[in-house]
Amino acid sequence: MKLRCVAFERPGRGLLDYVFRGFVPGVVLLLLSGCSSLGYYGQLAQGQWQLLRARQPVARVIDDPKTRPALRQHLQRAEAARAFASAHLQLPDNRSYRVYADLGRPFVVWNVFATPELSLQPTTHCFPIAGCVAYRGYYRQGAARGAAALLRQQGQDVYVGGVEAYSTLGWFDDPILSSMLGWGDERLATLIFHELSHQQVYVQDDTAFNESYATFVEQEGTRQWRAAQGLAAPSDSARQQREQFVALVLRSRERLQAIYAGPSDDSAKRAAKAAEFARLRAEYRQLRDGPWHGDGRYDAWVYGPLNNAKLLPFGLYDQWVPAFAALYRQVGGDWGRFHRQVAALGRLPAAARNERLQRLAPPRAGISD
C-alpha cells in the first residue's frame, strides 16, 4: 500500500502528511501476494473494498442540494485543479480524483514503521507491485496499535502514523477523501498533481526516485497552477523551513548510524542514542527560536517520543528534486517530453539511473542514500 506524505504545514497532521506519500492497493496485494498472513491481507482487502463502495462522482456531490456549501466549493476547486493536471501538466486523464469518498474518520490508513533498537535498518515488507517498503498499513487504528505492540515486545523501535490519503497507482479510480479536505484548496490541488505523477511513472523498489519526481511535478505544477489563476508565486519560507528541518533530522540520523556501527557495547550505544535525541531537540530549539522567530510548526513531532523508526521516512521525498528540475529545463518545460524522459530513466538499472541523476544535479545537501 502506498501512503502519502506532504509538507510539514502544521504540527502533527502536517508532518504526517509530509512523512507518508501514498503506496499500492490492498486488494491488489491480496490477489497477487502469498507472502504474508491471510488476516493482514484480509483487512487490506476489506478496507479497500469499503473505500471503493464509498465513492461518488464529484459532479454528483456538487449537484446534490444536500451537499454542504463548504464541501461543494472545495470540490469545485478540486475539479478545476484536476482538469489543469491533465490539460496542462499532461498527467493521466482518468477518473482518479474525479470521485469523492466520505470516510467518517480522520485517517484512511495507519502506517507502522519498525527498526531494531540499535539500528536504522527498517523492517521491510515486499509486495509484487509496490516493491519493498519500510512499513505496513492498517485500515483500523486498533489493528495498527496491536501490530505495533507486538513489535515493541520483540524489542524493536516502532512508530505509528495516521495517513490522510494514498494512491493505488492507477489500479483503481482514487477518490478525493474527506480526510483530505482540511488541507485547503491549494494543498488539495498539489496532492492531485503529486499522486497523478505516481500513475504516470512508478519504478518498483526506488522510493527516492518516485517521490522526488512526484515532488518536482507537485512543486512546479503548483507554481504554474497559481500563475494560471493570476496568483503570486508561493512563498519560499515554508519550503526553506521544511528543508532545514529535514536536513537537521538527517544529520542526527547520520550521527546515530555512526554510533550503531561503532565498537561500543550495547549499553554505551543506548546512552549515546539518548544523548543524540537530546541534541536533536536542542538544535531544533536553536533553529526555532533563532532564524524561525519562534515558529514551532514541528514542536509536536520533536517533543513527542523519538526513536529510530520515527526517522525512517526522512530524506526520500526531496533527494532528486534538483535533478528533475534540471531535466525539466533541458526539455524546455515541455511536460510531455519531460514525462517521457523520466520514464526512460525509470527503465534503466538502478546504478545507471542514479548515475544519470547525479550528472543532472547532485542531491540536496544533507540528503543522500
Side-chain angles (χ1 to χ4, degrees):
M1 161 173 316
K2 170 167 188 329
L3 298 173
R4 166 174 177 86
C5 68
V6 275
F8 298 88
E9 299 301 334
R10 301 176 185 174
R13 181 179 67 194
L15 177 60
L16 291 172
D17 293 346
Y18 178 81
V19 171
F20 311 105
R21 272 202 208 258
F23 294 41
V24 148
V27 85
V28 171
L29 298 179
L30 175 64
L31 295 173
L32 298 183
S33 175
C35 60
S36 189
S37 70
L38 180 61
Y40 175 70
Y41 283 103
Q43 66 89 25
L44 287 182
Q46 183 180 27
Q48 181 65 45
W49 174 242
Q50 289 172 346
L51 187 61
L52 294 176
R53 291 181 60 193
R55 295 176 305 174
Q56 302 180 67
V58 166
R60 182 188 303 167
V61 179
I62 289 173
D63 291 341
D64 188 341
K66 297 179 182 178
T67 298
R68 292 178 289 106
L71 174 59
R72 180 178 292 109
Q73 290 179 1
H74 270 311
L75 294 180
Q76 286 171 334
R77 291 165 183 157
E79 270 203 326
R82 178 64 184 83
F84 182 86
S86 293
H88 188 81
L89 307 182
Q90 298 191 33
L91 293 169
D93 190 2
N94 54 31
R95 290 185 73 242
S96 288
Y97 308 108
R98 290 185 167 118
V99 290
Y100 171 74
D102 190 341
L103 294 176
R105 60 182 188 267
F107 300 113
V108 58
V109 170
W110 285 262
N111 264 2
V112 179
F113 291 80
T115 72
E117 179 192 9
L118 298 175
S119 171
L120 289 165
Q121 186 66 33
T123 300
T124 58
H125 308 275
C126 298
F127 305 111
I129 301 166
C132 297
V133 293
Y135 55 83
R136 265 189 160 188
Y138 295 83
Y139 280 91
R140 292 187 296 108
Q141 186 177 23
R145 288 177 172 173
L150 290 174
L151 291 167
R152 290 190 185 99
Q153 287 179 2
Q154 298 168 16
Q156 297 198 55
D157 279 11
V158 182
Y159 178 57
V160 179
V163 182
E164 293 163 324
Y166 69 77
S167 168
T168 62
L169 307 179
W171 283 87
F172 300 106
D173 298 329
D174 292 323
I176 297 170
L177 300 171
S178 56
S179 55
M180 297 154 50
L181 298 180
W183 293 346
D185 295 328
E186 183 168 306
R187 187 64 249 162
L188 184 55
T190 63
L191 167 73
I192 291 170
F193 303 157
H194 184 101
E195 296 302 345
L196 286 173
S197 300
H198 286 312
Q199 295 187 19
Q200 185 80 23
V201 179
Y202 185 84
V203 178
Q204 192 176 72
D205 295 335
D206 198 338
T207 301
F209 179 89
N210 296 326
E211 298 300 344
S212 296
Y213 160 63
T215 296
F216 170 74
V217 175
E218 170 190 324
Q219 292 175 353
E220 179 60 22
T222 300
R223 188 190 68 77
Q224 295 182 16
W225 169 240
R226 289 181 65 90
Q229 298 177 92
L231 300 174
S235 169
D236 281 340
S237 61
R239 178 185 58 80
Q240 290 171 352
Q241 286 189 7
R242 185 187 71 218
E243 290 179 355
Q244 290 169 355
F245 183 71
V246 170
L248 182 76
V249 174
L250 290 178
R251 288 194 296 271
S252 182
R253 192 168 71 180
E254 288 172 0
R255 291 191 295 265
L256 283 168
Q257 187 68 58
I259 290 168
Y260 300 148
S264 301
D265 61 25
D266 286 356
S267 178
K269 288 180 179 180
R270 289 188 185 99
K273 174 183 178 181
E276 177 54 43
F277 284 131
R279 176 178 175 176
L280 173 59
R281 289 188 171 112
E283 291 184 351
Y284 168 73
R285 284 194 298 272
Q286 292 175 357
L287 194 61
R288 180 197 64 190
D289 299 338
W292 292 2
H293 306 293
D295 186 335
R297 68 181 62 201
Y298 304 129
D299 280 6
W301 189 91
V302 170
Y303 294 114
L306 292 176
N307 62 30
N308 297 328
K310 197 170 182 178
L311 306 184
L312 287 179
F314 286 84
L316 296 175
Y317 300 96
D318 297 273
Q319 179 174 339
W320 297 116
V321 168
F324 287 114
L327 181 61
Y328 183 75
R329 291 192 296 270
Q330 281 187 9
V331 300
D334 183 319
W335 282 108
R337 287 182 61 198
F338 172 72
H339 295 312
R340 289 192 292 274
Q341 290 288 330
V342 173
L345 279 173
R347 290 191 290 270
L348 294 174
R353 182 164 60 244
N354 286 345
E355 181 182 353
R356 169 66 174 147
L357 290 167
Q358 283 275 11
R359 289 202 304 269
L360 283 166
R364 288 171 175 161
I367 300 178
S368 60
D369 289 334

